[in-house]
Amino acid sequence: MSVSIVNEQSITIADGIKLDSGRILAPITLVYETYGTLNETASNAILVEHAWTGSAHLAGKLNENDTKPGWWDAIVGSGRLLDTDRYFVICSNVIGSCYGSTGPASTNPKTGKSYNLTFPVITVRDMVRAQKLLIESLGIERLLSVIGGSMGGMQTQEWATQYPNAIASAIVLATTPRPSPMAISLNAIARWAIFNDPTWRKGEYKHSPKDGLALARAIGHITFLSDESMDAKFGRKFSARDGKFDFFGQFEVERYLTYNGYSFVNRFDANSFLYLAKALDLYDVTWGYESLSEAFSRVTAPMQFFAFSSDWLYPPHQTEEMVACLRELGKPVEYHLMTSSYGHDAFLLEHEAFSPMVTKFLNDVATARGC
Amino acid sequence: MSVSIVNEQSITIADGIKLDSGRILAPITLVYETYGTLNETASNAILVEHAWTGSAHLAGKLNENDTKPGWWDAIVGSGRLLDTDRYFVICSNVIGSCYGSTGPASTNPKTGKSYNLTFPVITVRDMVRAQKLLIESLGIERLLSVIGGSMGGMQTQEWATQYPNAIASAIVLATTPRPSPMAISLNAIARWAIFNDPTWRKGEYKHSPKDGLALARAIGHITFLSDESMDAKFGRKFSARDGKFDFFGQFEVERYLTYNGYSFVNRFDANSFLYLAKALDLYDVTWGYESLSEAFSRVTAPMQFFAFSSDWLYPPHQTEEMVACLRELGKPVEYHLMTSSYGHDAFLLEHEAFSPMVTKFLNDVATARGC
């Protein structure tokens, strides 16, 4: 059963945080939502990490008239994968984003104006650094679990390596220890598409640079799909509205990407898109360590990994590299390679396939903790 | 040995051709180069088909000061794969391109101005239709072979199916019977990048829309590479000139794509890029037929196919579909899956690997024809 109406909450940390870059970001506001009830020992909290363009609005509706539930509603609620009768579920918007947490569109207290490009470059580790303060403020010393896919998986890995004592388990989906140069180059052209839009004005836009942002999103969108899923959904169908020999005639897949690209403009900020793309590219779980092995030697919590066969953005072999390393270190790790045609998006769409494994993994951890 | 100085030649066909779209394109000029000598029976001619941004300048230098030889110089010359002591090698620039043959930048005789977007949408079959007239004008009734990779492979397939009696063999590299929706969508975003450039002005530019075209090229460029080749060449190296936390700081791979994108602007026309991208997307060897089997039932010449393991633009299974179909039809077909990390570009770079097979294939055909 879906959770009912939820309220967005927020916390502001006046002192902010010191970022990986050495700069201070202060104050920091974090927007978050919670579902279920924190138990007396504060031992049943699960933090869900969102991906690139996600938000704190994980599940339920914000008001009666809300037409769409949160971004991963299907797995949160009474009797669902993240069972709100048993667990206290938290989701917070990352810093750098545009859904309420401090990001480039926020007001720089020193100038009274939006940061725009004066916003500092942030890393995935910085996002988690901020979340740690939120979790502490909620009176939670140790999370029962952290779960996330894609950029959410990266954050989960940061929890496991940076705050090993603050989590009892971690569930990582469709991610990588560090994006490959192919993944970086695809983000690079998405950035370039925005830079090319004259209305972007080096971040000082009044209205969203829509043509550039829509194109940037379309590039990202392609990387979330697969040859197979596109073939099943569109094949080589040509738009019924266009002539095949019209210069501007479009294939269905092209029309779909255009439509979705322009829809995205209404819900996301261009500068946030750029800052988060940068954080993705810079991401490296070994940052500050000599090797993957050194970084993962810090892990204490059992980790469960999922990779998806048709994910070409963060292909399974990248997850397998981490799993092999953890096994070699003798860490408790579980790995599932899921067969799916949905590409990178599979982590959001294939929840029915991975739910049994996650349910069991969570139940084991929860039972051991007595919750 | 490389061929020496070569001369660009051209032919103009006043009546032009009737295109797949039903429109007439007239007149048509085709620029071409030849290497070696046509024998008395005109039986030793090999036509080389270029890819998207190629030209008629296949091999040798155009003058003493030329710093770079033609685009596939390594395989043409005395004692080389296409041995000019034995074969007469021809390469012509496709219609729609910007290297001398009739394209969107050509003058429309009806208006006295450049066609720009009034240029008709053309297909790969149209390109070959025009080439057929060139070959006839050279007194060649039957080509010893046609060879090409990528869009060149598509043209080769069109020769094999549309003019089966005009070729004695065909060699096809790194191509597809029809691009997948994934390949289409990547071209779609390249087009979009140009459309977004305000200096493109719906094709009526005075100066090249450089930001859009450079980005479009970079998108194409990514599809020609592979995760593996990018990793070997760039890894995750950050540009030594940039700080890792600079907003505009670039990874090496990013800098490389930017540099190459802007270099491309100096050598290629944006409208030609768009028209040829469209031709690629529309390409379907079964156009006008019920099935691949019906299209390939027309083939009479022996065909040799090469696919490259890391080519994700036109992955091997697409070539294998054609090979399986031809085998089922009892046609003479040979197939080689080449292991390579170079992605789609492998067809240009791995000539040493495939030369022995091509040499033997060509020699068998040539010997049978007594040349």
Side-chain angles (χ1 to χ4, degrees):
Chain A
M1 197 172 80
S2 182
V3 297
S4 55
I5 305 300
V6 290
N7 293 312
E8 196 179 84
Q9 302 171 67
S10 75
I11 176 182
T12 294
I13 303 146
D15 293 343
I17 55 170
K18 186 174 177 189
L19 303 168
D20 273 342
S21 66
R23 288 177 66 179
I24 306 287
L25 182 63
I28 285 177
T29 294
L30 288 182
V31 153
Y32 64 100
E33 292 185 12
T34 66
Y35 321 87
T37 310
L38 187 63
N39 63 12
E40 278 186 17
T41 53
S43 64
N44 69 336
I46 297 176
L47 178 65
V48 181
E49 305 285 18
H50 70 73
W52 194 352
T53 65
S55 69
H57 186 40
L58 169 68
K61 297 187 171 188
L62 293 168
N63 60 62
E64 296 284 351
N65 304 318
D66 214 354
T67 52
K68 273 177 73 177
W71 60 271
W72 214 2
D73 185 78
I75 69 161
V76 183
S78 174
R80 291 191 174 170
L81 176 55
L82 305 185
D83 189 344
T84 47
D85 295 338
R86 184 175 191 187
Y87 305 124
F88 177 63
V89 179
I90 310 158
C91 184
S92 93
N93 187 218
V94 299
I95 56 167
S97 181
C98 53
Y99 289 119
S101 294
T102 303
S106 302
T107 301
N108 179 348
K110 286 188 189 152
T111 63
K113 293 178 187 163
S114 289
Y115 283 103
N116 297 340
L117 297 202
T118 68
F119 194 74
V121 166
I122 55 160
T123 65
V124 173
R125 194 167 291 171
D126 291 329
M127 297 171 193
V128 172
R129 202 165 264 146
Q131 283 165 14
K132 178 68 165 58
L133 301 177
L134 165 65
I135 297 306
E136 285 170 9
S137 80
L138 294 173
I140 300 162
E141 205 174 298
R142 197 159 178 231
L143 290 160
L144 176 65
S145 200
V146 185
I147 176 171
S150 196
M151 191 179 86
M154 296 173 187
Q155 293 169 73
T156 305
Q157 290 165 183
E158 290 305 300
W159 274 98
T161 51
Q162 300 306 304
Y163 305 105
N165 300 325
I167 66 171
S169 69
I171 302 161
V172 176
L173 301 105
T175 197
T176 177
R178 63 193 92 73
S180 70
M182 173 67 84
I184 291 171
S185 67
L186 290 157
N187 276 0
I189 58 171
R191 274 192 284 276
W192 191 346
I194 296 172
F195 296 166
N196 271 0
D197 189 324
T199 70
W200 178 61
R201 301 173 184 278
K202 293 216 165 173
E204 297 288 329
Y205 46 86
K206 280 215 178 98
H207 303 289
S208 184
K210 63 182 171 52
D211 294 329
L213 183 57
L215 172 52
R217 171 60 170 185
I219 295 164
H221 202 143
I222 291 172
T223 68
F224 306 153
L225 304 176
S226 75
D227 215 348
E228 215 176 329
S229 66
M230 282 188 175
D231 212 35
K233 193 161 180 175
F234 308 104
R236 288 179 44 92
K237 276 200 294 288
F238 210 76
S239 164
R241 302 204 314 219
D242 298 335
K244 211 147 189 169
F245 295 105
D246 292 352
F247 179 81
F248 290 104
Q250 290 190 312
F251 284 84
E252 280 291 347
V253 66
E254 205 169 344
R255 183 173 298 283
Y256 170 82
L257 289 169
T258 308
Y259 176 81
N260 278 281
Y262 281 98
S263 305
F264 181 71
V265 170
N266 301 321
R267 77 164 182 89
F268 214 80
D269 173 63
N271 287 341
S272 275
F273 186 89
L274 292 168
Y275 275 91
L276 297 184
K278 184 97 187 165
L280 285 166
D281 290 354
L282 288 177
Y283 181 67
D284 187 345
V285 71
T286 71
W287 184 278
Y289 302 97
E290 292 289 320
S291 63
L292 193 59
S293 184
E294 191 187 327
F296 279 170
S297 67
R298 297 173 54 86
V299 172
T300 55
M303 296 184 76
Q304 187 184 45
F305 288 86
F306 292 88
F308 299 86
S309 58
S310 57
D311 182 351
W312 62 281
L313 182 63
Y314 303 144
H317 71 84
Q318 297 180 3
T319 292
E320 287 157 13
E321 184 193 344
M322 296 190 284
V323 171
C325 178
L326 286 161
R327 282 196 180 135
E328 200 158 305
L329 291 166
K331 305 289 182 183
V333 58
E334 189 181 312
Y335 170 59
H336 302 280
L337 173 60
M338 309 298 288
T339 300
S340 170
S341 66
Y342 286 116
H344 185 63
D345 264 352
F347 85 88
L348 285 170
L349 301 168
E350 297 278 22
H351 57 89
E352 285 186 17
F354 60 72
S355 277
M357 282 87 91
V358 174
T359 301
K360 182 176 182 313
F361 179 80
L362 272 181
N363 182 59
D364 288 353
V365 182
T367 305
R369 291 199 100 194
C371 62
Chain B
M1 198 170 80
S2 181
V3 297
S4 55
I5 305 300
V6 290
N7 292 313
E8 195 180 85
Q9 302 172 67
S10 76
I11 177 182
T12 294
I13 302 145
D15 292 343
I17 55 170
K18 187 174 177 190
L19 303 167
D20 274 342
S21 66
R23 287 178 65 179
I24 306 288
L25 182 63
I28 284 177
T29 294
L30 287 182
V31 154
Y32 64 100
E33 291 185 14
T34 67
Y35 320 87
T37 311
L38 188 64
N39 64 11
E40 279 186 14
T41 53
S43 63
N44 69 335
I46 298 175
L47 178 65
V48 180
E49 306 283 21
H50 71 73
W52 193 351
T53 65
S55 69
H57 187 41
L58 170 68
K61 297 188 171 188
L62 292 168
N63 59 61
E64 297 284 351
N65 304 320
D66 215 353
T67 52
K68 275 178 70 177
W71 59 270
W72 215 2
D73 185 78
I75 70 161
V76 183
S78 173
R80 291 191 174 172
L81 177 57
L82 304 185
D83 189 343
T84 46
D85 296 337
R86 186 176 189 185
Y87 306 124
F88 177 64
V89 179
I90 310 158
C91 183
S92 93
N93 187 219
V94 300
I95 56 169
S97 181
C98 54
Y99 288 120
S101 294
T102 302
S106 302
T107 302
N108 179 349
K110 286 188 186 148
T111 63
K113 292 179 189 163
S114 288
Y115 282 104
N116 297 340
L117 296 202
T118 68
F119 193 75
V121 166
I122 54 160
T123 65
V124 173
R125 195 168 289 173
D126 291 329
M127 297 171 193
V128 172
R129 203 167 261 144
Q131 284 165 13
K132 179 68 164 60
L133 301 176
L134 165 65
I135 298 306
E136 285 170 9
S137 81
L138 295 173
I140 300 162
E141 206 174 297
R142 197 158 178 235
L143 290 160
L144 176 65
S145 200
V146 185
I147 175 171
S150 196
M151 191 180 85
M154 296 174 186
Q155 292 170 72
T156 305
Q157 290 165 185
E158 290 304 301
W159 274 98
T161 50
Q162 300 306 302
Y163 306 106
N165 300 325
I167 65 169
S169 69
I171 302 160
V172 176
L173 302 106
T175 197
T176 177
R178 63 194 94 71
S180 69
M182 174 66 84
I184 291 170
S185 66
L186 289 158
N187 276 359
I189 57 171
R191 274 193 283 279
W192 191 347
I194 296 173
F195 296 166
N196 270 1
D197 189 325
T199 70
W200 178 62
R201 302 171 183 277
K202 293 215 165 174
E204 298 287 329
Y205 45 87
K206 279 213 178 100
H207 303 288
S208 185
K210 63 182 172 53
D211 294 330
L213 183 56
L215 173 53
R217 172 58 171 186
I219 295 164
H221 202 143
I222 291 172
T223 68
F224 306 153
L225 303 176
S226 74
D227 215 348
E228 214 177 329
S229 66
M230 280 187 176
D231 213 34
K233 195 162 178 171
F234 308 105
R236 286 179 46 90
K237 274 200 294 290
F238 210 75
S239 166
R241 303 204 313 219
D242 299 336
K244 211 146 190 171
F245 295 105
D246 291 353
F247 180 81
F248 289 104
Q250 291 189 313
F251 284 85
E252 280 292 346
V253 66
E254 205 169 344
R255 183 173 296 284
Y256 170 82
L257 290 169
T258 308
Y259 176 81
N260 278 280
Y262 281 99
S263 304
F264 181 70
V265 170
N266 301 320
R267 76 163 183 91
F268 214 80
D269 173 64
N271 287 341
S272 276
F273 186 89
L274 292 167
Y275 274 90
L276 296 184
K278 185 98 186 164
L280 284 166
D281 290 353
L282 288 177
Y283 182 67
D284 187 345
V285 71
T286 71
W287 184 277
Y289 302 96
E290 292 290 322
S291 63
L292 193 58
S293 185
E294 190 187 325
F296 278 171
S297 67
R298 297 174 53 87
V299 172
T300 55
M303 294 183 79
Q304 187 183 45
F305 288 86
F306 292 88
F308 298 87
S309 58
S310 57
D311 183 351
W312 62 282
L313 182 64
Y314 302 145
H317 72 84
Q318 298 181 2
T319 291
E320 286 156 14
E321 185 192 344
M322 297 191 283
V323 170
C325 178
L326 285 161
R327 282 195 180 135
E328 201 159 304
L329 291 166
K331 305 288 183 182
V333 58
E334 190 181 312
Y335 170 60
H336 303 280
L337 172 60
M338 309 296 288
T339 301
S340 171
S341 65
Y342 287 117
H344 186 63
D345 263 353
F347 85 89
L348 285 170
L349 300 169
E350 295 279 21
H351 57 88
E352 284 185 17
F354 60 71
S355 277
M357 283 86 94
V358 173
T359 300
K360 184 179 181 313
F361 179 81
L362 271 181
N363 181 59
D364 289 351
V365 183
T367 305
R369 288 198 101 194
C371 62

